[in-house]
Amino acid sequence: MNEGYLSIILLIIVLILLASGWRTLLFIDTPPLVLTVFFTLWILGMFVQLSLSGSLKMQGIYLAWAVLVWIAIRYAKWPGALYFLFTGFFTGLIGYFVQHIYTLDPVLVVINSRIDLAVLLAFITWTVSRMPLIQAVNVAVALIVVESLQLHLKQTEQTMLLGGPGIQDIWWMSYLAVRVCGALSESLSSLIQLFLKHLPIWMGGSRK
């Protein structure tokens, strides 16, 4: 599948789920107005490129990420904001390191580099936060770091695009993987609590 198609498919699925009442699972802590602005900027940003210099362009989806970061900072205040910005930065460093290893030794690639990176970012993000908004920001910041390091080290005269279709695929895969992990962990936790709650009753009945 060509880069960018997967992100479009996942975007459509997410919009359908939101329209069907699945906002609690996907964006429970994000105000509806923010979601509207985010999706509007994302859809427009898929077709708009901003020129940063002669050989560097930025896809408009960066503006959608900027909205998420700004809202997260407002809600988390500075101590919490510094935490998730640092975790996003270090998540990006790990992601870039893994991508660099894949470049040196492609044999290490498990599925493909994009899916592997998305799963890695999802796992790290899930371990550092359970809040959907912070998770979305963490993945976004991580990918910004990955792209920035790639840009700095390549230093090529060819035109480079930040936030291109491949990065969009990774963000959607990673964020949805985080939310699925969150839903599964919450369901498992509820089952364990239910089991422990009824265990004394079952034990008492078996003794009789």
Side-chain angles (χ1 to χ4, degrees), residues 61-207:
I61 60 113
Y62 262 66
L63 299 178
W65 283 347
V67 168
L68 290 183
V69 173
W70 178 65
I71 294 299
I73 291 175
R74 284 193 59 187
Y75 276 83
K77 308 302 181 182
W78 278 112
L82 288 176
Y83 168 75
F84 71 71
L85 289 176
F86 274 117
T87 56
F89 176 77
F90 286 111
T91 302
L93 288 181
I94 296 172
Y96 174 77
F97 177 71
V98 171
Q99 288 286 88
H100 187 62
I101 291 177
Y102 283 174
T103 303
L104 298 176
D105 193 356
V107 176
L108 297 174
V109 176
V110 179
I111 303 176
N112 67 51
S113 58
R114 284 187 296 160
I115 295 178
D116 289 359
L117 179 59
V119 172
L120 174 65
L121 297 183
F123 175 75
I124 298 175
T125 300
W126 179 72
T127 60
V128 299
S129 177
R130 295 295 188 270
M131 299 175 60
L133 177 60
I134 303 302
Q135 290 172 341
V137 170
N138 191 81
V139 177
V141 172
L143 290 176
I144 291 172
V145 171
V146 171
E147 285 204 300
S148 299
L149 290 174
Q150 291 175 342
L151 172 66
H152 176 71
L153 295 178
K154 281 184 178 179
Q155 294 184 346
T156 177
E157 296 297 327
Q158 298 178 349
T159 301
M160 292 193 63
L161 177 63
L162 298 175
I167 291 295
Q168 296 174 35
D169 288 348
I170 295 172
W171 188 83
W172 279 110
M173 282 191 292
S174 186
Y175 179 68
L176 291 179
V178 174
R179 296 311 307 141
V180 169
C181 288
L184 291 176
S185 64
E186 290 173 6
S187 299
L188 181 60
S189 176
S190 299
L191 287 174
I192 293 175
Q193 291 178 5
L194 183 64
F195 174 76
L196 294 177
K197 180 179 179 180
H198 289 83
L199 182 60
I201 300 176
W202 295 332
M203 293 295 292
S206 61
R207 288 172 185 171

